[in-house]
Amino acid sequence: ELKVEQNPLFLSMQEGKNYTIYCNYSTTSDRLYWYRQDPGKSLESLFVLLSNGAVKQEGRLMASLDTKARLSTLHITAAVHDLSATYFCAVDMIEGYQKVTFGTGTKLQVIP
Amino acid sequence: NAGVTQTPKFRILKIGQSMTLQCTQDMNHNYMYWYRQDPGMGLKLIYYSVGAGITDKGEVPNGYNVSRSTTEDFPLRLELAAPSQTSVYFCASSYGEGDTEAFFGQGTRLTVV
C-alpha cells in the first residue's frame, strides 16, 4: 500500500521568510503532483513532476522531485499572506491505471 | 469553461436515506474519480473510472456505488447513508495518460444525521 507523508502538518510563518514542505512516499513512483486548497474551496493543481531531478517554479513556489529518495519538496521563498492555504502532495501508484494517493496536507499560515 | 461540475453543493441526509451525487465534465477526459475529504485530512479515493463502462474501487469504496455510462458523467450513489459518510466529496477528472494532473469540482458537503 502506498503511503504518502507530509511534514510539517501545520506551518505558521512570517511574511518574507523562506520555508520548505516535505513529501515522502513509500513506493516507486515517478509522477508526483502538488495541489493547493483554500479554505472551503476545491483543489487547484500547482505542479506536475514527472522524473527524477525535476524542478518547477511558479512565482514564490518551487517544487522538486528526488525519486531515489522518494522525496519531493515544495519551497516557499519570501512568503506572502496570499500563500496561506493547505498544500497537498499526491503520488501516482502506477499499476496499469492512474491511481493517485494524497498526503494529509500541510496547512500554511503566513502572518503579516 | 465549465470544467468539472458537481451537484449539489450541500446536502443533509438522515441515516438510512439514499442519494446520488452528480458529476459531469466537459473536457473529454477519460479518467474520472471520486474522493472524500474528512476534516483536516487528505483525500481518499472512493471509486475511479478509466472510461465509459469501466469502473473500479479505490481505497474506501464501502457504502458507495458508481456508474459511467458516458464519458461526461460519473455519478456517485450512497445507499443507506451512515454518519461515517459525513464528509466533503470531490469529483475530479484527468486525461489519464501519463503526466496529467486532475481537475477538481467544487465539492459537495454532505452531513448525515
Side-chain angles (χ1 to χ4, degrees), chain A residues 10-43:
Chain A
F10 182 78
L11 175 58
S12 181
M13 57 191 296
Q14 287 186 315
E15 280 192 332
K17 298 292 187 183
N18 304 331
Y19 209 83
T20 300
I21 298 170
Y22 297 89
C23 174
N24 291 90
Y25 55 97
S26 62
T27 192
T28 301
S29 175
D30 58 4
R31 290 201 289 239
L32 189 137
Y33 310 86
W34 283 96
Y35 291 88
R36 168 183 171 145
Q37 185 179 35
D38 292 309
K41 303 292 187 183
S42 188
L43 281 77

Side-chain angles (χ1 to χ4, degrees), chain A residues 1 31 33 35 37 40-45 47-48 50 88 92 96-105, chain B residues 31 33 35 37 40-43 45 48 50 54 57 59 90 94 96-102 104-106 109:
Chain A
E1 179 188 344
R31 290 201 289 239
Y33 310 86
Y35 291 88
Q37 185 179 35
K41 303 292 187 183
S42 188
L43 281 77
E44 173 191 358
S45 176
F47 300 109
V48 179
L50 299 176
F88 292 96
D92 190 351
Y97 296 139
Q98 185 182 33
K99 257 175 29 171
V100 175
T101 298
F102 280 78
T104 51
Chain B
Y31 282 52
Y33 316 85
Y35 291 92
Q37 184 179 31
M41 303 294 287
L43 278 71
L45 182 64
Y48 68 104
V50 302
I54 306 171
K57 296 177 181 178
E59 187 180 357
F90 288 101
S94 70
E97 297 296 331
D99 61 352
T100 55
E101 74 269 46
F104 284 80
Q106 290 303 303
R109 187 175 296 273

Side-chain angles (χ1 to χ4, degrees), chain A residues 2-9 19-27 29 31-35 47 49 62-75 87-92 100-106:
Chain A
L2 173 60
K3 292 189 188 306
V4 181
E5 294 182 347
Q6 288 181 238
N7 69 82
L9 298 182
Y19 209 83
T20 300
I21 298 170
Y22 297 89
C23 174
N24 291 90
Y25 55 97
S26 62
T27 192
S29 175
R31 290 201 289 239
L32 189 137
Y33 310 86
W34 283 96
Y35 291 88
F47 300 109
L49 303 170
M62 183 173 71
S64 66
L65 178 61
D66 181 344
T67 58
K68 293 179 182 176
R70 298 178 184 172
L71 171 69
S72 178
T73 61
L74 180 66
H75 187 72
Y87 293 85
F88 292 96
C89 66
V91 179
D92 190 351
V100 175
T101 298
F102 280 78
T104 51
T106 297

